[in-house]
Amino acid sequence: MAKPQDTKGQDSGADGVTRDLASRIASAKRSRAAEDNRALANGSHDTSGMARGMRIGTEFVAAIVIGGILGYLIDLGLGTSPWGLLIMFMMGFAAGILNVTRAVAELNAASPPPPGPKPDAEDDKRIEH
């Protein structure tokens, strides 16, 4: 049976490498967590154009459909056909426009402004003359 080699001299070197690796992993985790917290604090949402369009379209259609259903139910209950449906359909349309406007304002506030040249005060002076 072979005797295991004496590794006492190698343990200190291996421990140093292990400690170094552990400290680098811990610092990477801390920086990643801090980056995630900054992204959440800024309220930035990484959504594609397709996702934004689907959200806006769904909110618009849902408001119209719910208005129409409520109008239909009012007509059934009160016997005022077709006035309840028409009025609630128009109210659903107005609510859909309001929802779309609000959603677009939220998305625009959450996204940074596009990069581009900033107007200088000198440019304004040239335009005035």
Side-chain angles (χ1 to χ4, degrees):
M1 207 161 156
K3 286 185 164 183
Q5 294 180 352
D6 186 20
T7 59
K8 288 185 181 180
Q10 294 176 354
D11 282 342
S12 64
D15 283 342
V17 170
T18 304
R19 281 190 211 122
D20 180 48
L21 181 60
S23 68
R24 289 189 341 214
I25 291 172
S27 69
K29 284 182 180 180
R30 281 191 302 270
S31 67
R32 177 67 182 243
E35 191 175 301
D36 289 344
N37 288 339
R38 275 194 302 273
L40 288 174
N42 290 339
S44 63
H45 304 287
D46 291 337
T47 56
S48 68
M50 179 67 114
R52 288 181 182 188
M54 290 296 291
R55 175 185 172 195
I56 291 168
T58 302
E59 286 185 9
F60 184 66
V61 170
I64 294 173
V65 168
I66 289 174
I69 290 171
L70 288 176
Y72 179 74
L73 293 175
I74 288 172
D75 281 341
L76 281 179
L78 299 177
T80 57
S81 184
W83 296 108
L85 176 66
L86 291 174
I87 290 171
M88 291 304 288
F89 185 80
M90 286 188 272
M91 288 182 73
F93 187 80
I97 297 228
L98 182 65
N99 284 342
V100 167
T101 305
R102 187 176 13 179
V104 169
E106 285 177 14
L107 292 172
N108 286 340
S111 64
K118 295 182 181 179
D120 293 336
E122 294 176 14
D123 291 339
D124 292 336
K125 290 178 185 175
R126 285 185 216 142
I127 292 171
E128 291 174 5
H129 295 282

